[in-house]
Amino acid sequence: MGGSGILQLIFSGITIGSIYGLVAVGFDIIYNCTGIINFAQGEFVMLGGMIMISLVGAADLPMWISFPIAVFAVTLIGALFERLCIHPLKKPSILTLIIITIAASILFKGGAMFAWGKQTFSLPHFSSERPISIFGATILPQTVWILGFIAVVVLLLAFFFKATMVGKAMRACAANRSAASLVGVNVKEIVLLSFALSAAIGAVAGIIIAPIALMDYERGMILGLKGFSAAVLGGLGNPVGAVVAGFLIGIVEALCAGLLSSHYKDAVALIVLLAVLFIRPSGLFGSLEASRLKKF
Amino acid sequence: MSGLNRKWTVVICLLAAFSLLTSTCTKKKEAYKVGAIFAITGPASWLGEPERNTVQMIVEQVNAEGGINGHLLELIIEDTVGDETKTVNAVNKLIEKDNVLAIVGPSRSGTTMAVIPIVEKAKVPLISCAAAETIVEPVEQRHWVFKTPQKDSDAVIRIFEHIKSKGMSKVAIITGTTGFGDAGRKQLKKYAAEMGIAIVADETYGPGDTDMTPQLMKIKATDAQALINWSIVPAQAIVPKNMRQLGMTIPLYQSHGFGNIKYAEAAGEAGEGIIFPAGRLLAVDSLPDDHPQKAVLARYKKDYEEKFKEPVSTFGGHAYDALWLVIDALKAVGPDRAKIRDHIENRKGFIGTGGIFNFSPEDHNGLTKDAFEMLTVKSCKFTLLSE
């Protein structure tokens, strides 16, 4: 396989990896504020894609109107989920919260099955479907859209966490919840915000990948699983690490499928993950010191 | 206290009404009880749901027309959730508690295999809606078991025959990693060797995969003259799209697992010209009027789509054939398990949705490779392949 062949594989890896990365970012935001893994993250992705498909397909709305509506709807679902299931608990243990998110993911999946049925849906591409040729390799315009959206989401998040008061409050919560609440940060509201924000990011991921990956009610779990691997590999709680780790897993999978054998690609991706965690338990970009202070 | 009393009154009234209802029913000729076990919920629900819908529709029709020789047909439907343990429990319940005359289902091959020892021991006819060939083979150990879906191996043979008729001999295969894909991969390899076809690339993909260009890159680098994509998961629709992205022009063959118009729609323009074997139900509109199956297929399609407002699937068709086989036997021999079994085993020329069944003591499936028709995708519709 020549240079353009390798480049093609890397493009494919970037396409797959960008999806993992975006799902992983959602995991990180909630983890940062609450210390829990939200296993319903993949369902937010599925809901975003499905609501978008309904708006575009059944309600016949243009893409640019459906997009914000779908994101808003999922954000609302995320916020409601937090208010109804997480917020009312007085002294929740981490384990209780995680089990609640698992229950919620089953509920979302079941609800989606009733609402949309068991069929697979597709969404039109945002622009043309004609592949773009770069140095002999081809890339779909939708992949360019996905990369663009990821860049925007990551930049906005970086700005939000570094430069705004609310973002700083969220980081304060992540560092030390009791101390943050002592200096006047309303921790409960920050938790609500974190769920809404990660639901919104999940929805964006679901919408932009639906044209190439298709969407059905069961998709959330598989996407969530791969996203979780990326989040762990990147160091839990580190959004930039999550995106980089997502690309890394995607590219490893693609190179393995293209150069070795597709039978082993999932196994190789997992072996890489295990190997990294063996050498660096805090992930590629996580700080070892910080990870010692966390519950897991 | 009064609230509690009221609750009890309601319960007692309901019980009284219920017993009244059942006692009025038994005054007529005794109903024929048939069991149905499908994966109505769970991961294989896309199989079980159309199957359940289909058998419910048939029971309504049969009873509206006065039942079978004056006996109403009573169908006891159980959900297996696609799970072996639950299927075993359901079958035990149907046999011991409901005392059914025959059982239709299960939906999946794994769950069928799990209940074969039970029905063989209890001597209850079982007509499975699952595809694996081991369900009816070896036939001497499957005295009470039949199945309605066509054989995987016949689909493979039809594809290879078509490939050979085009003068091609080198193919690449790409299969899903689920049970269906894996079984297909084994069959493809087995018959390729027998039919003189070389498999030059053998790739797989998972049900959650979103991009198959790496696998296709490898296939593109070989001298494969055609590609066979064997899978039942939605991800199979991504393969034609990726082929188009890479500018691959070799013909694409798919399995009968492609037989859902949603997959053709999902593949869009890239799906045009895909060739695949399937039962005739999917292309009933392009079937000549004098075809012996035309009337059965057209009626089932019309009835189902009017009632449930969704397109028919071949899976519902398997349940249609299975239940009508039982009704056909009940009409002929009455409520006797052994006679029902013997009648089905010797049934010839039974026209179903899956094909024309000719059962025999050596063949409990009754279909040949002619039950498959080669179809293609034209303007996002399934049509018969002309040549």
Side-chain angles (χ1 to χ4, degrees):
Chain A
M1 202 174 284
S4 71
I6 302 286
L7 189 65
Q8 182 71 57
L9 292 178
I10 289 172
F11 281 165
S12 166
I14 288 174
T15 312
I16 309 167
S18 56
I19 299 166
Y20 299 164
L22 212 47
V23 179
V25 171
F27 275 111
D28 283 339
I29 291 172
I30 291 183
Y31 178 79
N32 269 344
C33 296
T34 61
I36 65 168
I37 305 297
N38 171 28
F39 280 102
Q41 189 61 34
E43 312 307 324
F44 290 147
V45 179
M46 178 271 294
L47 286 171
M50 292 300 246
I51 292 174
M52 179 76 175
I53 286 165
S54 288
L55 290 172
V56 173
D60 221 9
L61 289 173
M63 290 263 192
W64 59 273
I65 297 180
S66 315
F67 194 105
I69 300 178
V71 173
F72 181 72
V74 179
T75 310
L76 211 62
I77 293 172
L80 273 177
F81 164 50
E82 196 278 335
R83 275 293 108 147
L84 297 176
C85 307
I86 307 283
H87 183 73
L89 298 178
K90 286 240 164 61
K91 273 192 181 160
S93 74
I94 297 279
L95 193 64
T96 319
L97 288 172
I98 290 179
I99 290 170
I100 288 175
T101 67
I102 294 175
S105 80
I106 296 169
L107 194 72
F108 286 139
K109 203 165 90 174
M113 190 184 86
F114 272 107
W116 287 283
K118 292 153 193 155
Q119 279 156 343
T120 303
F121 297 89
S122 57
L123 186 69
H125 286 233
F126 289 3
S127 52
S128 132
E129 280 189 49
R130 189 181 301 274
I132 303 164
S133 183
I134 302 168
F135 302 120
T138 54
I139 191 165
L140 286 174
Q142 188 65 29
T143 308
V144 181
W145 277 104
I146 293 178
L147 294 175
F149 270 103
I150 289 189
V152 172
V153 166
V154 170
L155 283 179
L156 280 180
L157 275 181
F159 174 78
F160 174 74
F161 281 123
K162 294 249 154 72
T164 66
M165 200 46 143
V166 186
K168 282 178 183 165
M170 281 179 99
R171 278 168 56 214
C173 277
N176 190 327
R177 288 180 80 166
S178 341
S181 101
L182 276 178
V183 294
V185 175
N186 187 338
V187 176
K188 289 250 169 185
E189 258 173 38
I190 294 292
V191 171
L192 172 67
L193 189 69
S194 74
F195 270 85
L197 193 61
S198 67
I201 290 169
V204 170
I207 294 168
I208 59 179
I209 67 166
I212 50 173
L214 314 174
M215 203 47 81
D216 59 74
Y217 79 100
E218 277 189 312
R219 256 303 150 87
M221 199 189 70
I222 302 169
L223 290 172
L225 213 62
K226 287 286 174 72
F228 179 61
S229 311
V232 171
L233 184 62
L236 268 175
N238 184 334
V240 178
V243 173
V244 176
F247 283 136
L248 200 70
I249 294 181
I251 291 170
V252 167
E253 273 187 15
L255 288 178
C256 175
L259 300 176
L260 299 169
S261 163
S262 49
H263 308 313
Y264 306 117
K265 79 179 163 55
D266 286 343
V268 166
L270 280 176
I271 288 168
V272 169
L273 175 68
L274 285 176
V276 169
L277 291 182
F278 204 68
I279 302 160
R280 276 188 67 92
S282 53
L284 283 179
F285 303 92
S287 135
L288 203 59
E289 245 167 277
S291 76
R292 278 210 194 98
L293 296 171
K294 286 173 182 166
K295 292 210 174 80
F296 62 82
Chain B
M1 213 33 207
S2 72
L4 199 69
N5 272 334
R6 205 177 307 140
K7 231 183 238 169
W8 276 111
T9 325
V10 172
V11 169
I12 289 164
C13 282
L14 277 176
L15 276 176
F18 186 67
S19 60
L20 209 68
L21 204 74
T22 46
S23 66
T24 48
C25 283
T26 47
K27 268 176 199 151
K28 285 193 199 162
K29 275 187 178 178
E30 205 180 325
Y32 288 160
K33 281 187 185 171
V34 173
I37 38 170
F38 301 127
I40 302 164
T41 58
S45 57
W46 45 272
L47 294 169
E49 202 176 66
E51 289 167 350
R52 192 260 326 259
N53 291 348
T54 300
V55 294
Q56 277 181 338
M57 183 180 83
I58 295 173
V59 171
E60 280 170 28
Q61 286 172 352
V62 167
N63 287 342
E65 286 162 18
I68 305 164
N69 302 335
H71 296 267
L72 287 183
L73 177 62
E74 186 186 340
L75 201 66
I76 298 137
I77 301 174
E78 298 286 336
D79 184 6
T80 68
V81 202
D83 176 82
E84 277 77 7
T85 317
K86 292 199 173 80
T87 313
V88 167
N89 291 343
V91 166
N92 278 328
K93 182 212 158 231
L94 287 173
I95 293 173
E96 279 157 28
K97 183 162 166 285
D98 301 314
N99 205 16
V100 293
L101 294 165
I103 297 171
V104 173
S107 314
R108 295 183 52 229
S109 299
T111 49
T112 306
M113 295 308 288
V115 297
I116 285 175
I118 303 173
V119 295
E120 285 292 323
K121 195 157 164 257
K123 301 192 188 332
V124 178
L126 176 100
I127 297 117
S128 172
C129 299
E133 273 154 60
T134 47
I135 290 171
V136 291
E137 272 161 26
V139 75
E140 51 274 13
Q141 290 166 29
R142 304 285 189 266
H143 195 65
W144 295 85
V145 183
F146 301 87
K147 80 176 183 97
T148 53
Q150 303 92 341
K151 299 189 198 93
D152 279 358
S153 60
D154 283 341
V156 171
I157 292 169
R158 287 298 297 254
I159 290 175
F160 282 157
E161 280 177 355
H162 192 265
I163 286 171
K164 279 174 93 171
S165 77
K166 296 283 165 202
M168 297 183 282
S169 61
K170 285 177 185 155
V171 298
I173 62 173
I174 182 163
T175 53
T177 51
T178 57
F180 181 84
D182 198 47
R185 181 164 166 248
K186 288 193 186 108
Q187 297 278 358
L188 284 165
K189 284 177 149 176
K190 180 180 161 205
Y191 283 93
E194 283 179 20
M195 295 176 73
I197 283 178
I199 292 179
V200 293
D202 168 18
E203 297 295 328
T204 56
Y205 55 88
D209 284 3
T210 50
D211 186 285
M212 284 73 164
T213 47
Q215 290 95 319
L216 292 170
M217 285 288 295
K218 266 184 93 175
I219 291 168
K220 199 182 174 187
T222 66
D223 54 352
Q225 293 159 311
L227 173 62
I228 304 169
N229 177 17
W230 196 283
S231 164
I232 205 155
V233 291
Q236 64 177 312
I238 298 170
V239 171
K241 285 187 159 190
N242 285 161
M243 279 177 79
R244 196 160 172 259
Q245 181 192 343
L246 294 177
M248 290 170 77
T249 50
I250 56 173
L252 175 62
Y253 290 81
Q254 300 244 151
S255 72
H256 45 308
F258 186 65
N260 181 334
I261 196 70
K262 285 276 162 193
Y263 294 155
E265 282 166 11
E269 262 181 65
E272 294 289 306
I274 288 175
I275 301 168
F276 69 105
R280 296 184 177 85
L281 183 61
L282 295 175
V284 59
D285 296 331
S286 57
L287 210 60
D289 282 334
D290 57 351
H291 193 278
Q293 277 182 273
K294 176 97 181 184
V296 171
L297 292 171
R299 181 172 170 211
Y300 172 50
K301 184 178 159 77
K302 184 172 152 284
D303 288 353
Y304 189 95
E305 290 181 353
E306 269 176 15
K307 192 169 164 65
F308 298 106
K309 312 275 179 267
E310 61 175 29
V312 276
S313 73
T314 47
F315 315 115
H318 299 325
Y320 184 94
D321 296 346
L323 185 55
W324 274 113
L325 270 169
V326 173
I327 295 172
D328 176 71
L330 279 168
K331 258 185 202 153
V333 299
D336 183 314
R337 286 172 179 168
K339 283 185 188 159
I340 291 170
R341 190 212 83 89
D342 294 345
H343 187 267
I344 295 174
E345 187 172 72
N346 293 304
R347 189 70 166 89
K348 303 269 186 264
F350 178 86
I351 299 172
T353 62
I356 298 164
F357 293 86
N358 290 303
F359 291 98
S360 70
E362 293 78 41
D363 182 5
H364 278 195
N365 178 212
L367 292 174
T368 61
K369 66 180 182 175
D370 296 324
F372 279 119
E373 200 73 64
M374 292 308 277
L375 304 187
T376 186
V377 184
K378 212 179 207 171
S379 328
C380 225
K381 282 204 167 61
F382 294 146
T383 53
L384 289 179
L385 193 66
S386 40
E387 79 276 35

